[in-house]
């Protein structure tokens, strides 16, 4: 449907109506992003009134090439990619599997849908608190279960790889509900006649999934993949709540937060380095952009191939 | 609706949005800098005073009580106090000061200042805040007369002006011990490393965990061992200079002994599961009698007493050396202080708040509540922790982390932290860890010296 606004000034009305929203977008989203790009070339501290000097690519040089810290930063980058790949694929697979199950005409399927979705609405702090209590090494439920097998663990406070694996698990638990709901919405748009026709043609369960469900779920697959990839690349709040700033567990998002707000050295008087953190943010942005665009390109081609 | 009217309405919406976007609240008048002894005046009208403090349960409890009395005395002032985790204090201070959303703030003693031998280091956050004009110059305020000059100078001054009133020193290099358990197992209170090892072995053999700490917060695990570093390097300022200039290395012979002891501390002395205990919960666990010792700061004493008032405990410097003479020091820092936002619109109320707090009777009550070593010469630490630390106060020294500033480019392991060892970290070879720590530090030193 299109509206006709006549001639002269009236033609401008649609644009004027769009303007408030555009201004809001510039102020809230695009403006800060452009400012971040600008600040990445400065020694800004983030403190109101503090002088800001243009230092060119110095922050980038420090982040990517200076001493051992740059190697640690690249390690964090690598860890971010591992986190993203693990979270994306496991969450995607589990979300699809659970959506297929709760989409069946089962008794109480609505209750299961609610239970699986519930972690999403809890918020990161509550999620973190719940799991910190569950994984409390001195007599928490998980510790008691392990002790039945004669085992023990420090869980989140143990070796970094172990803590990192727990954060992956909790991130998936926390967000799998969204993936499930998107798939569920997709599944419910598939006409039942297609399944009936395929069954009449002799298709078994796997063939129904591979030839009817999977191709017609393409829009949901694309949405979920993109949301999972971008969300996991930017994730950092659960790291803050569950393990804090610990060597061997930082991902790029948390590194940026900790650097920007002076929490990297273990000292309460660390300096504020927002210019440096901005440079790290741009590196993360470029990473998300390259991966996001590549995946988007591939997914669009796939969608066109399957759905025409 | 006619098209003209629609056009007009659209334009109005656009202009309203533009005005909303471009408008900004009027900037408050900056407070004039201090000068001359002045007593604060009463604020003219009704005032809400926004106060920020960090989470320290006995201190927060005291402040709530103090605020109540302050409001009763000054009914035109309402105190709106926010409490944040200590790790987040600097972040919240920065953002709320920048947003002009705070009047009085809790600020840790000034430390980590750049020294002449340090290259390319950024100034600490307190210095950044002062240089940006966000903290009020308190020089000349009448209430400053109650405080030690040295405390004002060392923990709250910059370029000859006072920007913060420090409220007390704390030691973090001591160990709380359970007197009853030591008596029960006929153990002498350890004054040497060997005696400490023997005590821990005895407790462990009896099925009693030797030490606990609030490892969930990260730093309590390694801060407990700062006394160990102190017994090796009693002059901590010289240690920092030595590390920067290359005269001391984290993998030299002396430091290697420190790493070996840290491994024993992390692996054998600390109880299993300590990594899951929150910082606030650790004093309660110690007070329950479940563990024999608790390495930690003097600020935990009120929480231990509150958890179990009848519990009998003592406090000793961490015996990191086999020579008792090396173990007579307590290392620590200047803890909480008060500062005022330079742009506060509630200057009178803020100054009144600090003046009221600094009144010797109120300050004494504060010290009693939180267990700080006082910075007012007339105040006495007449609490249990006061009596425990009294023999060592002559040997109180500012600790390593108050001087240390890492060179840019240094790796993430360039710190003397016991938590690198298993089960909290991944290392189990002191020599390999010492080499890794020194290599991470050296990478930074090489980068800034290029």
């Amino acid at each position: 449907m299109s509206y006709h606004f006549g001639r002269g000034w009236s033609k401008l009305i649609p644009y004027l109506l769009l303007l408030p929203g555009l201004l809001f977008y510039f102020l809230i989203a695009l403006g800060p992003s452009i400012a971040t790009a600008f600040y990445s070339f400065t020694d800004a501290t983030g403190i109101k009134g503090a002088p800001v000097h243009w230092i060119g690519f110095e922050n980038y040089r420090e982040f990517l090439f200076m001493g051992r810290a740059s190697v640690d930063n690249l390690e964090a980058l690598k860890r971010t990619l591992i986190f993203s790949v693990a979270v994306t694929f496991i969450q995607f697979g589990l979300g699809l599997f659970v959506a297929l199950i709760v989409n069946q005409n089962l008794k109480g399927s609505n209750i299961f849908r609610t239970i699986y979705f519930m972690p999403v609405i809890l918020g990161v702090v509550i999620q973190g608190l719940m799991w910190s209590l569950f994984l409390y090494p001195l007599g928490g439920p998980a510790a008691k279960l392990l002790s039945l097998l004669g085992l023990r663990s420090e869980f989140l406070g143990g070796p970094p790889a172990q803590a990192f694996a727990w954060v992956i698990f909790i991130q998936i638990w926390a967000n799998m509900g969204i993936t499930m709901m998107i798939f569920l919405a997709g599944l419910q748009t598939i006409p039942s006649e297609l399944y009936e026709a395929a069954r009449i043609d002799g298709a078994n369960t796997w063939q129904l999934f591979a030839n009817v469900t999977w191709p017609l779920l393409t829009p949901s697959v694309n949405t979920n993949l993109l949301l999972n990839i971008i969300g996991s690349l930017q994730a950092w709040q659960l790291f803050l709540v569950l393990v804090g700033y610990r060597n061997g567990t930082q991902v790029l998002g948390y590194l940026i937060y900790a650097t920007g707000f002076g929490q990297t050295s273990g000292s309460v008087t660390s300096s504020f380095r927002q210019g440096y953190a901005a440079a790290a943010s741009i590196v993360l942005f470029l990473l998300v952009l390259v991966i996001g665009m590549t995946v988007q390109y591939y997914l669009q081609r796939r969608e066109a191939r399957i759905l025409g | 609706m006619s098209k003209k009217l629609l056009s007009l309405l659209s334009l109005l919406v656009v202009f309203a949005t533009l005005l909303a976007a471009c408008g900004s609240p009027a900037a408050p008048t900056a407070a004039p800098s201090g000068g001359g002894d002045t007593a604060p005046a009463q604020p003219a009208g009704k005032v809400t005073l926004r106060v920020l403090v960090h989470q320290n349960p006995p201190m927060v409890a005291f402040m709530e009580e103090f605020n109540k009395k302050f409001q009763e005395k000054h009914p035109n002032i309402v105190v709106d106090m926010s409490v944040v985790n200590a790790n987040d204090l600097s972040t919240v201070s920065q953002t709320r000061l920048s947003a002009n959303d705070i009047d009085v703030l809790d600020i840790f003693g000034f430390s980590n200042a750049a020294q002449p031998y340090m290259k390319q280091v950024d100034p600490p956050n307190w210095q950044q805040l002062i240089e940006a004009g966000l903290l009020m110059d308190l020089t000349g305020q009448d209430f400053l007369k109650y405080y030690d000059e040295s405390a004002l100078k060392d923990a709250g001054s910059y370029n000859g002006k006072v920007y913060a009133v420090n409220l007390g020193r704390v030691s973090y290099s001591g160990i709380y011990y359970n007197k009853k358990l030591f008596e029960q197992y006929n153990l002498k209170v350890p004054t040497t490393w060997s005696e400490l090892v023997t005590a821990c072995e005895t407790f462990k053999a009896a099925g009693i965990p030797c030490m606990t700490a609030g490892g969930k917060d990260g730093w309590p695990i390694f801060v407990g061992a700062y006394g160990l570093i102190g017994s090796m390097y009693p002059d901590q300022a010289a240690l920092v200079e030595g590390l920067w200039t290359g005269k001391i290395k984290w993998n030299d012979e002396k430091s290697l002994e420190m790493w070996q002891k840290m491994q024993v501390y992390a692996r054998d002395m600390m109880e299993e599961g300590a990594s899951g205990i929150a910082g606030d919960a650790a004093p309660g666990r110690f007070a329950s009698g479940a563990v024999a010792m608790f390495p930690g700061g003097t600020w935990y004493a009120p929480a231990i007493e509150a958890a179990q008032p009848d519990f009998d405990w003592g406090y000793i410097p961490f015996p990191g050396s086999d020579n008792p003479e090396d173990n007579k020091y307590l290392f620590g820092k200047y803890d909480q202080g008060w500062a005022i936002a330079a742009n506060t619109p509630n200057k009178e109320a803020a100054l009144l708040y600090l003046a009221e707090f600094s009144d010797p009777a109120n300050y004494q009550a504060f010290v009693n509540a939180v267990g700080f070593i006082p910075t007012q010469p007339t105040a006495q630490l007449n609490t249990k922790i006061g009596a425990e630390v009294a023999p060592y106060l002559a040997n109180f020294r500012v600790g390593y982390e108050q001087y240390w500033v890492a060179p840019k480019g240094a790796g993430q392991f360039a710190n003397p932290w016991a938590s690198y060892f298993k089960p909290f970290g991944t290392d189990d070879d002191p020599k390999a860890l010492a080499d890794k720590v020194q290599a991470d530090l050296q990478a930074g030193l090489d980068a800034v010296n290029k």
Side-chain angles (χ1 to χ4, degrees):
Chain A
M1 187 192 291
S2 61
Y3 294 98
H4 299 284
F5 284 89
R7 294 169 163 217
W9 280 100
S10 300
K11 275 189 171 177
L12 293 175
I13 289 173
Y15 301 102
L16 290 172
L17 289 171
L18 279 173
L19 205 54
L22 265 178
L23 279 174
F24 191 71
Y25 174 71
F26 271 97
L27 279 173
I28 303 297
L30 203 59
S33 303
I34 293 167
T36 300
F38 170 78
Y39 281 125
S40 72
F41 297 102
T42 71
D43 63 354
T45 58
I47 296 173
K48 186 181 167 188
V52 176
H53 304 105
W54 184 266
I55 57 169
F57 284 93
E58 183 54 30
N59 287 325
Y60 291 93
R61 188 189 73 82
E62 186 185 338
F63 185 80
L64 295 169
F65 305 111
M66 190 174 183
R68 174 69 203 175
S70 60
V71 180
D72 294 337
N73 293 338
L74 295 175
E75 285 286 323
L77 196 73
K78 191 173 125 193
R79 217 173 285 123
T80 308
L81 291 172
I82 293 171
F83 181 79
S84 180
V85 168
V87 168
T88 299
F89 286 104
I90 300 173
Q91 190 174 310
F92 181 92
L94 264 179
L96 177 60
F97 179 73
V98 174
L100 287 168
I101 302 280
V102 297
N103 193 43
Q104 305 302 311
N105 224 353
L106 298 172
K107 212 173 183 181
S109 61
N110 277 340
I111 294 171
F112 287 113
R113 287 177 196 178
T114 311
I115 290 172
Y116 286 123
F117 189 72
M118 205 173 279
V120 175
I121 61 169
L122 289 178
V124 175
V125 175
I126 306 292
Q127 291 161 354
L129 186 66
M130 276 176 60
W131 280 97
S132 295
L133 291 172
F134 183 75
L135 299 173
Y136 184 53
L138 285 169
K144 281 185 179 157
L145 280 174
L146 272 191
S147 70
L148 293 176
L149 305 169
L151 301 169
R152 66 164 309 281
S153 171
E154 293 282 328
F155 300 108
L156 295 163
Q162 183 183 312
F164 188 69
W166 274 111
V167 182
I168 290 176
F169 173 80
I170 296 166
Q171 170 86 7
I172 293 167
W173 169 84
N175 295 299
M176 194 272 286
I178 295 178
T179 309
M180 177 199 76
M181 286 305 271
I182 293 171
F183 275 131
L184 203 55
L187 285 170
Q188 289 177 358
T189 62
I190 301 174
S192 56
E193 295 84 356
L194 292 177
Y195 289 108
E196 284 163 22
R199 273 199 202 96
I200 290 165
D201 289 343
N204 59 26
T205 308
W206 170 250
Q207 285 167 327
L208 282 178
F209 175 77
N211 298 308
V212 180
T213 310
W214 182 246
L216 291 174
L217 267 184
T218 298
S220 307
V221 167
N222 294 359
T223 308
N224 266 330
L225 267 179
L226 271 177
L227 284 180
N228 288 358
I229 289 169
I230 294 170
S232 57
L233 283 173
Q234 294 176 335
W236 64 276
Q237 296 97 325
L238 272 176
F239 285 92
L240 170 74
V241 178
L242 291 167
V243 290
Y245 195 82
R246 274 186 64 197
N247 291 356
T249 63
Q250 306 100 331
V251 285
L252 212 47
Y254 189 23
L255 192 76
I256 292 163
Y257 168 79
T259 311
F261 292 108
Q263 298 194 346
T264 52
S265 73
S267 161
V268 291
T269 58
S270 304
S271 34
F272 299 117
R273 304 195 65 203
Q274 220 157 70
Y276 179 72
S281 304
I282 296 297
V283 172
L284 178 62
F285 164 72
L286 291 175
L287 183 77
V288 174
L289 186 74
V290 168
I291 294 175
M293 295 289 275
T294 310
V295 172
Q296 170 80 340
Y297 173 75
Y298 168 76
L299 290 177
Q300 274 182 347
R301 284 187 55 179
R302 180 178 173 270
E303 189 171 335
R305 196 176 65 240
I306 294 172
L307 300 178
Chain B
M1 192 183 289
S2 73
K3 282 178 189 169
K4 275 188 181 171
L5 189 61
L6 198 60
S7 309
L8 192 66
L9 275 174
S10 308
L11 281 169
L12 275 173
V13 171
V14 170
F15 281 124
T17 312
L18 278 171
L19 283 173
C22 299
S24 62
T29 317
S33 61
D37 283 2
T38 50
Q42 283 284 346
K46 191 95 177 160
V47 161
T48 298
L49 190 69
R50 299 155 299 178
V51 177
L52 176 69
V53 296
H54 77 272
Q55 179 61 275
N56 174 355
M59 193 257 285
V60 172
F62 173 85
M63 289 310 303
E64 281 167 354
E65 199 56 37
F66 172 78
N67 290 342
K68 212 182 286 175
K69 288 179 183 161
F70 181 77
Q71 288 173 133
E72 280 167 14
K73 195 170 171 184
H74 305 282
N76 58 332
I77 303 176
V78 176
V79 179
D80 174 13
M81 185 174 81
S82 319
V83 182
V84 293
N85 190 294
N87 289 339
D88 299 325
L89 181 65
S90 65
T91 308
V92 178
S93 300
Q94 180 222 351
T95 48
R96 292 192 67 177
L97 278 168
S98 293
N100 196 28
D101 180 41
I102 196 73
D103 302 308
V104 176
L105 61 147
D106 165 2
I107 190 163
F108 286 105
F110 295 178
S111 62
N112 307 107
Q115 303 299 321
Y117 54 80
M118 295 176 175
K119 290 182 184 169
Q120 294 186 39
V121 294
D122 293 311
N125 55 29
W126 56 263
Q127 189 181 327
Q128 291 176 321
L129 294 174
I130 292 169
E131 286 173 347
L134 293 176
L135 298 186
M136 185 188 285
D137 176 6
L138 302 174
T139 314
Q141 291 299 329
D142 197 39
F143 57 79
L144 296 184
K145 70 185 178 199
Y146 296 125
Y147 295 90
D148 281 335
E149 268 188 41
S150 60
L152 289 173
K153 183 170 165 287
D154 297 342
S157 295
Y158 178 62
N159 282 345
K161 290 179 179 172
V162 180
Y163 291 94
V165 185
N166 191 266
L167 303 178
R169 292 173 295 171
V170 290
S171 161
Y172 47 57
S173 70
I175 304 179
Y176 294 91
Y177 66 97
N178 181 329
K179 284 189 176 175
K180 195 177 149 196
L181 283 178
F182 271 79
E183 278 167 20
Q184 192 180 332
Y185 289 92
N186 292 321
L187 287 165
K188 183 174 167 270
V189 177
T191 55
T192 65
W193 172 254
S194 301
E195 286 170 2
L196 182 66
V197 172
T198 305
C200 278
E201 284 170 353
T202 308
F203 287 125
K204 278 185 87 171
I208 299 165
C210 183
M211 292 181 183
T212 192
K216 175 101 176 66
D217 290 3
W219 57 266
I221 293 281
F222 58 75
V223 163
Y226 272 5
L228 216 163
I229 308 171
S231 60
M232 297 275 173
Y233 298 100
D235 186 344
Q236 304 257 282
L239 167 65
V240 170
E241 185 170 358
L243 289 166
W244 263 89
T245 54
K247 287 177 189 154
I248 298 172
K249 294 190 185 295
W250 282 133
N251 61 348
D252 61 22
E253 203 177 323
K254 193 172 175 181
S255 297
L256 192 57
E257 186 188 339
M258 178 195 80
W259 290 112
Q260 284 159 347
K261 288 176 177 172
M262 278 193 181
Q263 183 181 31
V264 175
Y265 166 83
R267 183 191 60 197
D268 304 333
M269 293 181 172
M270 199 51 68
E271 72 169 321
E272 290 177 344
S275 69
I277 302 173
D280 290 350
R285 175 148 178 84
F286 171 65
S288 73
V291 287
M293 287 181 260
F294 171 38
T298 49
W299 61 87
Y300 287 125
I304 294 170
E305 286 174 325
Q308 292 288 340
D310 299 331
F311 179 57
D312 198 8
W313 54 269
Y315 190 79
I316 50 165
F318 195 107
S321 165
D322 270 329
N323 178 3
E325 275 300 295
D326 296 337
N327 302 328
K328 64 184 181 184
Y329 302 101
L330 274 180
F331 295 91
K333 62 173 182 173
Y334 284 98
D335 201 275
Q336 182 199 350
W338 288 127
I340 298 178
N343 295 326
T344 172
N346 304 317
K347 184 189 170 192
E348 289 84 7
L351 287 169
L352 204 58
Y353 190 75
L354 260 58
E356 194 74 34
F357 187 94
S358 304
D359 177 87
N362 286 334
Y363 180 78
Q364 180 64 61
F366 170 77
V367 167
N368 291 344
V370 301
F372 283 0
I373 300 162
T375 48
Q376 284 195 1
T378 55
Q380 290 183 335
L381 188 53
N382 47 13
T383 57
K384 186 166 170 56
I385 189 68
E388 291 291 323
V389 299
Y392 311 107
L393 278 187
N395 293 321
F396 181 90
R397 293 189 171 187
V398 173
Y400 159 85
E401 51 102 35
Q402 299 294 292
Y403 296 111
W404 179 246
V405 184
K408 282 181 187 172
Q412 59 188 348
F413 283 93
N415 295 293
W417 291 350
S419 53
Y420 296 151
F421 283 110
K422 285 181 179 174
F424 310 105
T426 52
D427 290 277
D428 55 4
D429 178 356
K431 175 78 176 80
L433 176 61
D435 289 342
K436 181 165 74 174
V437 171
Q438 182 57 35
D440 268 21
L441 172 60
Q442 197 58 49
L445 293 171
D446 292 345
V448 295
N449 285 322
K450 256 184 192 169

